[in-house]
Amino acid sequence: MKKILLTLFCLAVAFGASAKFRWGPSVGANFPYYYWEQNLVGSTTLAGFSAGVQCELMIPGIGFGVDFGLRYANRGGRVAFGDQYVWSSDGIGTVDLRLQTIQIPVNLRFKWTRMNGIENYVAPFVYAGPEFNFNVANTKCDAVKRAGASVGLGVGLGAELFKRYQLSGGYVWDVTYDVKTHKLDEFSARLEGWVVNFAVLF
């Protein structure tokens, strides 16, 4: 956490006094699934949601900046543990395995701001960056244990409407594991999937 805050502070200093800072509430939806290291069980998508605060720091005139935030996310997937005897023998079948996560996304972004006045109504942007996940709880499932934290990468695009409302969509995949089974020590999974987000910045 200290390293993240220090990085954000250094970015703010580098941008200088001319940088424009805005923040506001955000809500979103996610559609992830569990990607397992080995193809032993099936996994399908479950819809989830997120809510929190989004911040934006942009350099006026050139369109480059960063966005970051703090949000709660409910995410997960449906896992068919019953496909394998090692879990079906314990009475574990198909489970909707959800994680309750505190997320800190940090993205570099580019926003088109020189479009002869069109940017006052709609300004497209693209973004990419890491996402730090702190998994605080999960669906009760005796087959797995959750990781305390994970790191993901996200990319996406969106549009800013009337210089205030931002709608974006992208793809996020965790690069470290989110859950690991008890019985098979090396059998782990990470979440990945599509996300959409809506924010109002002031």
Side-chain angles (χ1 to χ4, degrees), residues 18 27 29 31 45 53 56 66 84 87 117 124 128 149 170 175 180 187 193:
S18 63
V27 294
F31 307 90
T45 298
V53 176
E56 179 188 81
V66 297
Q84 297 293 334
W87 293 293
V175 295
K180 182 179 291 186
F187 190 47

Side-chain angles (χ1 to χ4, degrees), residues 122-201:
V122 56
F125 60 84
V126 294
Y127 67 88
E131 186 174 276
F132 303 94
N133 305 303
F134 300 92
N135 301 317
V136 295
N138 61 276
T139 304
K140 180 176 173 54
C141 178
D142 294 333
V144 300
K145 53 186 175 182
R146 59 175 167 80
S150 64
V151 178
L153 291 175
V155 297
L157 53 83
E160 180 176 281
L161 306 175
F162 306 106
K163 290 191 171 182
R164 175 164 294 183
Y165 309 102
Q166 293 190 355
L167 180 64
S168 62
Y171 198 85
V172 176
W173 59 96
D174 290 354
V175 295
T176 60
Y177 83 91
D178 289 287
V179 296
K180 182 179 291 186
T181 60
H182 287 288
K183 286 191 172 182
L184 304 179
D185 291 339
E186 301 304 320
F187 190 47
S188 61
R190 52 183 176 82
L191 283 167
E192 63 176 79
W194 297 98
V195 295
V196 294
N197 191 67
F198 177 73
V200 182
L201 301 184

Side-chain angles (χ1 to χ4, degrees), residues 113 115-123 160-164:
T113 56
M115 299 189 297
N116 297 319
I118 297 176
E119 68 275 7
N120 294 323
Y121 305 98
V122 56
E160 180 176 281
L161 306 175
F162 306 106
K163 290 191 171 182
R164 175 164 294 183

Side-chain angles (χ1 to χ4, degrees), residues 45-68:
T45 298
L46 278 182
F49 66 92
S50 65
V53 176
Q54 179 174 313
C55 304
E56 179 188 81
L57 191 64
M58 300 293 296
I59 303 176
I62 65 173
F64 282 101
V66 297
D67 71 77
F68 52 95

